[in-house]
Amino acid sequence: MKKIAVIFLTCIMVLFITPGCYKVATVTVDNSPAITKTVSLKSDLVPVFSKSCVLSGCHTTGGQAPDLSSDNVFNSLTSGNFINKTTPPGSRLYLWLTGKEAIAMPIGAPNNPSNINALVLAWISQGAKNN
């Protein structure tokens, strides 16, 4: 009888403790250094996109959106709702790069190659210009 009471109490305790253990969200901390210089789409971002995204054959003309090839990158990003100038950290492009949405980009490559996360965030924060 004593053994049954112990098992019963243990089960009750587990039922009350377990619901408090759940995951609501994953918080990631961006430790990238802040970018204080003007970021150029053509000279700062396109070379990294070309090496990490276009060369793989993924984000090219006719491939996965957005098209990050040098001739189409600006129009593809601005017309496809991939950037949010009002809330730059909420931009789909930035969320993908940091792994906060869908699959972290670039797939199968080191996260944050050439400090692309901070560069993209700075570029969007600076108005996402076609420069």
Side-chain angles (χ1 to χ4, degrees):
M1 183 69 171
K2 195 173 193 180
K3 188 175 185 179
I4 293 173
V6 170
I7 291 172
F8 179 74
L9 287 174
T10 303
C11 289
I12 296 295
M13 288 175 50
V14 168
L15 287 174
F16 284 107
I17 294 172
T18 304
C21 300
Y22 60 93
K23 181 177 177 180
V24 175
T26 300
V27 177
T28 55
V29 177
D30 185 3
N31 291 326
S32 304
I35 304 294
T36 55
K37 69 174 188 111
T38 299
V39 177
S40 164
L41 177 64
K42 299 287 187 213
S43 62
D44 294 317
L45 299 180
V46 167
V48 180
F49 289 154
S50 295
K51 180 181 173 188
S52 301
C53 313
V54 175
L55 200 67
S56 66
C58 294
H59 295 283
T60 60
T61 304
Q64 292 290 323
D67 180 353
L68 299 177
S69 57
S70 60
D71 293 337
N72 301 321
V73 64
F74 181 75
N75 288 333
S76 183
L77 289 175
T78 55
S79 65
N81 292 324
F82 295 103
I83 57 172
N84 181 340
K85 294 180 191 177
T86 307
T87 312
S91 298
R92 288 176 59 204
L93 177 64
Y94 182 71
L95 294 173
W96 283 331
L97 289 170
T98 57
K100 295 176 184 174
E101 183 174 302
I103 300 169
M105 297 288 161
I107 296 174
N111 189 305
N112 202 15
S114 306
N115 198 25
I116 191 70
N117 298 357
L119 287 170
V120 164
L121 184 60
W123 176 70
I124 298 168
S125 298
Q126 294 168 8
K129 297 177 182 136
N130 190 10
N131 55 355

